[in-house]
Amino acid sequence: MGMLRKTDFNGFHQDIEWFKTFLKSAGITLQRNCPTAKSLEVLKTFADYSSNGRGTLEIDDRKFREQARRGFGIASQIWALQKSSGLQRAVRKHIKVYRGSEVNLLSSEVSRKDRNEAWEILVGCCLSRFCSNVRFAEPDVLATSSGLDLGFPCKVIYSARPDTQVSRIIDGVKQLETSSAAAGYVLVNLSNVINHDLFFLLNPNGDYFSYPSLDEAESLFHNQLIAFHRALEAPVLEYNKRITFDKNANTRRRKTLGILYYAQTLALVNQQAVLLSNALLHPNADAAVRSEYVLEFGSKFNLAAYEMMHR
């Protein structure tokens, strides 16, 4: 994807203040015990410890990894908002989710409406980097690309059952097909079902393993998304057919150009904490005549998502 970018822990102080000011501009003040406020405290702990040795990091390995993912998860959302200045006015109507339940998209959490909406916000920020007229409306997010008004149902996967996962994705397909959009993609967040400890694991000596190169870590992460798709194709034989064909109406689907699986995780590369993101496009077979356009969209989304994962 490009040159490794080191995460500057000291910059978390400025990120936190920017985010609080942004929330305040929308009339939102965080309660001390709300999940977002707790995640910001984790960021502050990392920043304090890095800059002047103040504060104490969690010594329990499992809890440390959980806290790190929670902190970096909210950091990635802050960076996405910072880099999407043209969308910030539209986002202000939706950022009330940050004062509600858990919105972290970097670890396993229970299903929450606020977390689902946080995924919609992240999608909007990403699309704003290469699309125009991005707004939040049915089928969740709308944007214009290459003259087409595209729709993007945004789904977060929580269940470990392939049949339930497929049903969730097909709900997005149906949502897109009945929307006003000319065409679009179902954007599926897999961060909840990724094994994050594969990228932040302990070696036999009890030290955290560090990948020698960014390419190695990203390749393994990409393979995780491929494995997810194959796990759907194997037990749910009609998965691909259900994307392209509406059995109840006995008609072919007209608008769904493809399914885009997305996830992010925290990894150690050359002893540096790095946020990884990856988007894997599964194009609708019926969209083959527009395959170049469809594949180009997948590449643009992947690049935009990657560029947002750094300050």
Side-chain angles (χ1 to χ4, degrees):
M1 267 299 195
M3 185 179 296
L4 175 65
R5 306 184 195 185
K6 182 178 179 181
T7 298
D8 178 10
F9 290 171
N10 297 341
F12 283 153
H13 288 118
Q14 289 74 35
D15 294 332
I16 292 169
E17 291 309 310
W18 181 92
F19 187 53
K20 288 182 176 178
T21 300
F22 181 60
L23 293 177
K24 188 176 181 180
S25 71
I28 295 173
T29 301
L30 299 178
Q31 297 298 315
R32 179 176 297 180
N33 291 325
C34 81
T36 300
K38 291 179 179 179
S39 294
L40 293 178
E41 279 300 312
V42 172
L43 282 188
K44 184 176 184 301
T45 298
F46 276 111
D48 289 344
Y49 188 84
S50 174
S51 61
N52 52 33
R54 295 175 55 190
T56 304
L57 300 181
E58 175 60 57
I59 60 173
D60 180 86
D61 293 327
R62 181 186 61 80
K63 291 181 180 179
F64 175 76
R65 286 187 281 195
E66 181 181 307
Q67 281 194 354
R69 287 191 285 261
R70 197 170 300 283
F72 277 78
I74 194 64
S76 71
Q77 293 182 47
I78 294 172
W79 296 337
L81 290 166
Q82 287 175 334
K83 292 185 176 184
S84 307
S85 56
L87 191 66
Q88 288 176 9
R89 184 173 182 179
V91 165
R92 279 186 174 87
K93 299 178 181 178
H94 299 270
I95 58 173
K96 63 182 183 300
V97 299
Y98 290 107
R99 67 183 179 195
S101 56
E102 183 60 67
V103 296
N104 181 42
L105 292 165
L106 202 59
S107 62
S108 297
E109 307 287 347
V110 297
S111 177
R112 297 290 190 201
K113 183 176 183 293
D114 290 336
R115 194 163 183 255
N116 296 337
E117 289 190 30
W119 171 226
E120 294 173 17
I121 290 173
L122 190 60
V123 165
C125 290
C126 184
L127 292 173
S128 71
R129 297 184 64 81
F130 64 97
C131 295
S132 61
N133 195 24
V134 179
R135 65 265 192 212
F136 298 96
E138 277 298 314
D140 283 330
V141 183
L142 289 168
T144 302
S145 176
S146 299
L148 276 179
D149 204 25
L150 299 178
F152 303 93
C154 302
K155 301 299 176 186
V156 180
I157 299 298
Y158 295 97
S159 173
R161 292 171 52 92
D163 56 341
T164 303
Q165 293 169 347
V166 167
S167 294
R168 180 78 171 150
I169 294 169
I170 297 302
D171 283 345
V173 172
K174 294 175 180 177
Q175 189 178 350
L176 173 58
E177 293 290 324
T178 57
S179 73
S180 62
Y185 304 81
V186 181
L187 302 186
V188 183
N189 191 303
L190 302 182
S191 293
N192 206 62
V193 291
I194 290 291
N195 183 358
H196 294 278
D197 284 345
L198 285 176
F199 306 92
F200 201 177
L201 71 165
L202 297 171
N203 64 24
N205 297 325
D207 300 318
Y208 284 112
F209 172 80
S210 181
Y211 289 93
S213 72
L214 181 61
D215 287 344
E216 183 178 339
E218 287 183 331
S219 178
L220 176 60
F221 194 41
H222 181 72
N223 289 338
Q224 288 277 298
L225 273 63
I226 293 175
F228 175 85
H229 175 72
R230 288 177 177 168
L232 296 187
E233 286 186 308
V236 189
L237 299 178
E238 292 194 343
Y239 172 49
N240 293 329
K241 185 182 292 185
R242 291 177 66 188
I243 294 172
T244 62
F245 191 78
D246 183 344
K247 184 177 180 180
N248 293 331
N250 196 32
T251 59
R252 302 202 76 77
R253 309 218 191 255
R254 298 179 297 106
K255 299 182 179 182
T256 306
L257 300 178
I259 311 298
L260 194 139
Y261 308 111
Y262 171 87
Q264 59 185 136
T265 196
L266 181 64
L268 290 181
V269 181
N270 295 331
Q271 302 300 324
Q272 299 173 3
V274 178
L275 276 165
L276 302 181
S277 74
N278 202 266
L280 174 68
L281 177 68
H282 173 51
N284 184 337
D286 284 2
V289 293
R290 286 183 281 181
S291 59
E292 185 175 339
Y293 166 79
V294 172
L295 293 175
E296 182 184 16
F297 174 85
S299 297
K300 286 181 177 179
F301 189 95
N302 199 16
L303 179 61
Y306 174 80
E307 289 176 342
M308 290 194 308
M309 292 302 102
H310 307 274
R311 183 177 295 104

